[in-house]
Amino acid sequence: KEKFAHLMAAIAELPRPQGPITAMTMLTYEEALADLAVDQLERARKAAGQTCRFFPSPAELRDLAGFRPLSPEARAGIALDAAYRAVAQHGENASVDFDDPATNATIRRLGGWVAFCGQPDNQWTRKEWAAEYVRIVSGGCVPSQCYPLAGIHEQENRLTGHSDAIGKPERITTGLPVTERPRLVRPVAAGLPQLAA
């Protein structure tokens, strides 16, 4: 955060017709650039000083940083690799919560965490995963599909009435940009079309 503030202060040396940078402006830039690495921000700062006449927008800084959004298919591959790492590290007994909501939703639609842990890593599984993940990212998903995924211990504790023994799920980092999230939709009721949440 300190490095980001320093980089923004350096970029702010460019002329800014809109006036001084406010706290809200800083927050907006921080949120828009949160998924960029420090070296990408540094690249954007240097390029902005060389090419921009005025203080650049977040979109301009992303372009200057060399950021290119991932395709849904590329996201699917990264998410699946993170899911398999989580299987190896935590297994079916633990409950998990991926930082990418589409990963939780994909696993849930494919049968849940315990079922996913029992599947071998093969080409058929990868194709099915990619198709479902792309559907979720492109078409959206119901918010409840993005909830953490229950492992065996949590499921057994719920069935036996020991909800107080349920701990927090393991938080899994996928490495995917946080700015590209699936659109959440309301559940379909009585044949009505889905509406954006």
Side-chain angles (χ1 to χ4, degrees):
K1 198 158 189 166
E2 184 179 320
K3 182 70 173 171
F4 177 79
H6 174 74
L7 289 168
M8 287 302 293
I11 295 169
E13 293 300 312
L14 292 167
R16 183 171 162 78
Q18 301 89 345
I21 295 177
T22 65
M24 184 56 78
T25 302
M26 278 295 282
L27 178 62
T28 301
Y29 274 75
E30 189 175 331
E31 288 174 350
L33 304 172
D35 59 323
L36 298 183
V38 172
D39 62 322
Q40 289 177 304
L41 290 170
E42 183 63 35
R43 187 178 326 130
R45 181 196 64 78
K46 287 178 183 173
Q50 295 169 346
T51 62
C52 295
R53 292 176 185 254
F54 298 104
F55 188 78
S57 69
E60 289 173 301
L61 287 173
R62 293 178 77 79
D63 287 344
L64 293 170
F67 177 82
R68 298 290 176 264
L70 292 170
S71 70
E73 293 78 12
R75 288 182 64 86
I78 294 169
L80 182 58
D81 290 341
Y84 280 129
R85 284 194 306 274
V87 169
Q89 184 175 2
H90 301 290
E92 63 188 7
N93 289 321
S95 296
V96 295
D97 183 20
F98 291 85
D99 64 355
D100 171 46
T103 302
N104 282 351
T106 301
I107 292 172
R108 182 165 275 108
R109 286 189 184 179
L110 294 177
W113 179 242
V114 175
F116 181 79
C117 288
Q119 292 182 356
D121 178 9
N122 59 41
Q123 199 60 32
W124 176 83
T125 303
R126 286 187 174 271
K127 286 180 181 176
E128 183 183 21
W129 170 277
E132 191 61 43
Y133 188 95
V134 169
R135 266 194 295 276
I136 289 167
V137 170
S138 303
C141 61
V142 176
S144 61
Q145 292 176 328
C146 301
Y147 292 167
L149 301 158
I152 290 175
H153 289 158
E154 180 178 339
Q155 290 175 8
E156 289 177 351
N157 283 329
R158 287 193 189 284
L159 285 173
T160 58
H162 294 98
S163 295
D164 55 327
I166 298 171
K168 287 189 173 188
E170 299 289 339
R171 183 72 168 165
I172 310 298
T173 303
T174 59
L176 287 165
V178 296
T179 55
E180 300 170 25
R181 295 285 171 89
R183 180 176 56 90
L184 299 179
V185 295
R186 294 186 189 132
V188 177
L192 296 174
Q194 292 184 343
L195 302 171

